[in-house]
């Protein structure tokens, strides 16, 4: 009995709010009158303008913790000490002789790779390196030979001509 | 034109409202501002002080315009004087108060002359910049290193024949094109950045810096570094009371300092002790205040005047040779 009442009420609703679906035009003139068909119109901005943020409970992106450098640690507080020792101290002591943080064969040395390697070979040939580190020694000599040929055959040597 | 250095400690501070230009770029926290002032030399003429009878000590507020000492607390400490051995004829002598470190409050023990060639020279900012750059760079060595195709392990054999396989032609598996291959133009260690500034550029850097420190009231002369206690709080109170900068560089003649000051400043990282031979432009600019003892002033003046007037200057201005002695 209740299904009768239900179906009756549904029919009454449909009569009250009929759903209209236009499938096709009856006349060509009606189609033309409607105008050109508009498809894929408009733009939907995919940016959240409201609501909660996404991933607020999940794992956050990793950011390193900011650790400021101590500007007054001993190394930084006394940086540059004794650089003027030949002016304000004994005139015989040059600042290159107290560059203790630099390897001894590199104190006061400036040059390109070839010049540095030549100096390295000159100094290390007197020690144990050729015997104890044969591969490294061989690589050093190979590199020096290669650079000699490269710099003399493939690059300009001497002073510029103009 | 005067120069003012500003140093920040915990945060990189912006927003000074001085009108001027950033004159140089060096280490991150140091910046320069230029602003104009009229007079460079300090305040008091020599004559009123000489009229005060010997044996009187005077405080900072006590000397009036006519030169009479009007302070109630007098003692019999002699006034410290200093006359220049070779005073210049046509230059104005610089002067500085001599203070004490015995008490937290400042007590002036005398007024000494300073040679203008050392403490009253033209402040050359460009020379100071060159000096600071030199100090930063000349000891730098880069040790990063990459292997070339010859040094990488393996890669002697041709991986596949030149023709026949549909693959690209290759001669070794360690060429720079390959993953795991050598680096063609990478860093090759060790790379040094050593160079020497001309001798007199360095001398003038020191002179400019000392002159600037004196002109900007950041230079103080004390009679000695003796303090009554080895408590760090004493030094902090002293610096706070006298409005010395947060960071102080105390310079004595030799590298052996009294025990109390060494113990007190040991725990304070921004108050440092240095002998005269360790003095340098970078440290003078890093520390806000420079405090010299009388002995240090004598030694600095003697050394710098000698360097400015030495007869064998051609020997020191020669190019630096690696195997030179000294």
């Amino acid at each position: 009995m209740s299904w009768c009442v239900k179906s009756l009420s549904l029919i009454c609703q449909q009569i009250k709010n009929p759903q209209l679906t236009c499938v096709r035009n009856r006349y060509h003139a009606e189609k033309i009158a409607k105008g050109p068909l508009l498809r894929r119109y408009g733009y939907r901005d995919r940016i959240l303008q409201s609501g909660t943020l996404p991933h607020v409970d999940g794992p956050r992106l990793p950011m390193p913790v900011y650790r400021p450098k101590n500007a007054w640690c001993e190394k930084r507080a006394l940086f540059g000490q004794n650089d003027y020792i030949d002016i304000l101290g004994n005139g015989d002591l040059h600042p290159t002789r107290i560059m203790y943080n630099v390897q001894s064969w590199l104190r006061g040395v400036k040059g390109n790779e070839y010049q540095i390697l030549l100096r390295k070979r000159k100094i290390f040939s007197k020690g144990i390196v050729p015997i104890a580190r044969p591969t490294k020694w061989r690589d050093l000599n190979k590199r020096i030979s290669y650079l000699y040929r490269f710099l003399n055959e493939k690059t300009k040597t001497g002073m510029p001509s103009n | 034109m005067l120069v003012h250095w500003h140093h920040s400690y915990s945060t990189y501070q912006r927003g000074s409202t001085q009108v001027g230009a950033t004159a140089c770029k060096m280490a991150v926290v140091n910046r320069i501002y230029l602003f104009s002032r009229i007079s460079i030399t300090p305040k008091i003429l020599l004559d009123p002080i000489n009229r005060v009878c010997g044996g009187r000590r005077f405080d900072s507020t006590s000397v009036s315009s006519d030169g009479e000492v009007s302070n109630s607390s007098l003692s019999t400490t002699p006034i410290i004087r200093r006359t220049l051995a070779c005073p210049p004829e046509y230059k104005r002598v610089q002067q500085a108060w001599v203070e004490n470190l015995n008490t937290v409050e400042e007590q002036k023990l005398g007024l000494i002359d300073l040679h203008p060639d050392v403490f009253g020279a033209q402040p050359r900012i460009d020379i100071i910049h060159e000096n600071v750059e030199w100090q930063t760079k000349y000891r730098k060595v880069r040790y990063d290193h990459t292997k070339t195709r010859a040094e990488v392990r393996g890669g002697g054999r041709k991986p596949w024949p030149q023709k026949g396989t549909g693959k690209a032609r290759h001669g070794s598996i360690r060429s720079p094109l390959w993953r795991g291959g050598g680096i063609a133009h990478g860093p090759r260690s060790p790379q040094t950045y050593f160079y020497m500034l001309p001798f007199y550029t360095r001398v003038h850097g020191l002179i400019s810096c000392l002159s600037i420190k004196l002109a900007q009231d950041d230079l103080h002369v004390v009679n000695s570094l003796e303090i009554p206690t080895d408590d760090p709080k004493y030094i902090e109170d002293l610096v706070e009371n006298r409005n010395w900068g947060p960071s102080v560089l105390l310079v004595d003649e030799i590298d052996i300092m009294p025990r109390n000051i060494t113990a007190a400043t040991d725990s304070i990282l921004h108050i440092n002790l240095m002998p005269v031979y360790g003095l340098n432009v970078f440290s003078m600019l890093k520390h806000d205040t420079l405090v010299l003892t009388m002995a240090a002033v004598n030694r600095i003046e003697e050394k710098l005047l000698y360097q400015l007037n030495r007869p064998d200057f051609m020997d020191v201005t020669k190019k630096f040779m690696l195997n030179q002695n000294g």
Side-chain angles (χ1 to χ4, degrees), chain A residues 35-52:
Chain A
L37 185 62
L38 205 58
R39 296 185 312 120
R40 297 167 74 185
Y41 170 78
Y43 173 70
R44 185 185 144 219
D45 207 7
R46 290 178 177 275
I47 290 172
L48 292 174
Q49 304 279 14
S50 62
T52 54

Side-chain angles (χ1 to χ4, degrees), chain B residues 72-318:
Chain B
S72 55
S73 67
L74 298 170
S75 78
T76 52
T77 324
I79 296 173
I80 296 175
R81 297 178 199 279
R82 183 169 179 266
T83 49
L84 298 178
C86 310
E89 276 189 57
Y90 302 110
K91 288 184 188 172
R92 194 172 357 170
V93 163
Q94 301 294 315
Q95 289 172 333
W97 289 109
V98 180
E99 291 149 17
N100 71 329
L101 281 184
N102 296 335
T103 58
V104 173
E105 285 82 32
E106 192 179 349
Q107 285 167 8
K108 292 180 160 54
L109 305 174
L111 187 74
I112 55 167
D113 289 348
L114 300 171
H115 202 290
D117 282 348
V118 176
F119 289 95
Q122 166 81 1
R124 289 282 303 266
I125 309 170
D126 57 329
I127 291 184
I128 292 180
H129 174 242
E130 281 179 28
N131 275 273
V132 167
E133 219 180 270
W134 171 73
Q135 284 192 270
T136 317
K137 289 183 185 167
Y138 87 106
R139 275 182 295 173
K140 180 176 167 186
V141 178
R142 281 181 65 188
Y143 292 106
D144 45 349
H145 181 78
T146 51
K147 289 186 174 0
T148 55
R149 61 182 289 174
E151 290 160 2
V152 177
R153 188 82 175 174
R157 183 179 64 213
K158 193 169 173 60
W160 45 75
Q162 179 84 354
K163 300 182 77 59
T165 68
K167 300 183 179 189
R169 48 193 182 182
H170 288 293
S172 113
I173 58 163
R174 300 303 188 200
S175 91
L177 274 56
W178 282 64
R179 176 200 175 274
I183 307 292
H185 296 294
R188 302 288 297 168
S189 92
Q191 192 177 1
T192 56
Y193 294 85
F194 173 80
Y195 69 105
M196 284 305 292
L197 276 185
F199 184 82
Y200 283 102
T201 309
R202 291 192 292 137
V203 170
H204 282 287
L206 282 170
I207 284 168
S208 284
C209 209
L210 286 165
S211 307
I212 285 169
K213 283 287 182 197
L214 178 67
Q216 294 192 319
D217 299 333
D218 286 329
L219 189 115
H220 300 272
V221 182
V222 294
N223 54 342
S224 84
L225 291 183
E226 304 278 354
I227 56 172
T229 64
D230 59 357
D231 187 15
K233 183 114 190 1
Y234 175 82
I235 292 282
E236 281 173 3
D237 289 341
L238 191 146
V239 168
E240 187 62 44
N241 183 276
R242 301 185 187 194
N243 285 333
W244 289 359
S247 53
V248 180
L249 185 63
L250 299 148
V251 179
D252 199 0
E253 189 187 7
I254 51 170
D255 42 14
I256 299 171
M257 314 271 179
R259 184 198 167 272
N260 279 348
I261 189 115
T262 320
T265 55
D266 204 34
S267 54
I268 310 174
L269 297 178
H270 48 272
I271 298 180
N272 299 112
L273 302 168
M274 218 180 243
V276 162
Y277 63 76
L279 194 60
N280 61 95
V281 174
F282 192 99
S283 294
M284 279 200 271
L285 293 173
K286 187 171 170 75
H287 295 79
D288 290 300
T289 310
L290 181 64
V291 175
L292 307 172
T293 56
M294 284 288 302
V297 166
N298 289 332
R299 179 62 74 94
I300 290 171
E301 233 182 61
E302 173 208 331
K303 285 282 174 189
L304 288 175
L305 285 173
Y306 170 69
Q307 303 297 354
L308 287 172
N309 298 299
R310 60 190 294 171
D312 59 342
F313 65 92
M314 294 298 284
D315 292 341
V316 290
T317 49
K318 287 188 187 140

Side-chain angles (χ1 to χ4, degrees), chain B residues 11 42 54 65 144 167 228 258 324:
Chain B
T11 56
S65 58
D144 45 349
K167 300 183 179 189
Q324 72 183 40

Side-chain angles (χ1 to χ4, degrees), chain A residues 71-72 80 83-84 86 92 109, chain B residues 9 131 135 138 192 202 280 326:
Chain A
W72 292 100
D83 281 345
Y84 295 76
D86 56 339
D92 293 332
V109 175
Chain B
Y9 300 100
N131 275 273
Q135 284 192 270
Y138 87 106
T192 56
R202 291 192 292 137
N280 61 95

Side-chain angles (χ1 to χ4, degrees), chain A residues 67-149:
Chain A
R67 300 196 63 188
K69 294 197 165 100
N70 182 9
W72 292 100
C73 64
E74 190 180 339
K75 198 174 72 164
R76 291 197 184 102
L78 299 175
F79 181 80
Q81 193 179 21
N82 302 336
D83 281 345
Y84 295 76
I85 199 158
D86 56 339
I87 298 172
L88 292 169
N90 183 6
D92 293 332
L93 185 60
H94 199 268
T96 47
R97 285 170 59 188
I98 45 173
M99 284 163 78
Y100 297 130
N101 291 341
V102 176
Q103 298 173 27
S104 62
W105 64 280
L106 277 176
R107 287 172 198 160
V109 175
K110 175 85 189 290
N112 57 30
E113 191 202 341
Y114 182 60
Q115 291 159 345
I116 300 272
L117 286 179
L118 282 179
R119 182 173 168 84
K120 191 174 182 182
R121 183 168 71 174
K122 184 169 83 169
I123 289 174
F124 284 24
S125 63
K126 298 190 175 71
I128 196 67
V129 167
I131 300 163
R133 299 278 176 264
T135 311
K136 250 198 174 147
W137 186 248
R138 191 164 150 265
D139 283 346
L140 173 68
N141 287 314
K142 272 172 62 178
R143 183 74 185 162
I144 288 175
S145 309
Y146 167 76
L147 283 172
Y148 176 88
R149 278 178 284 121

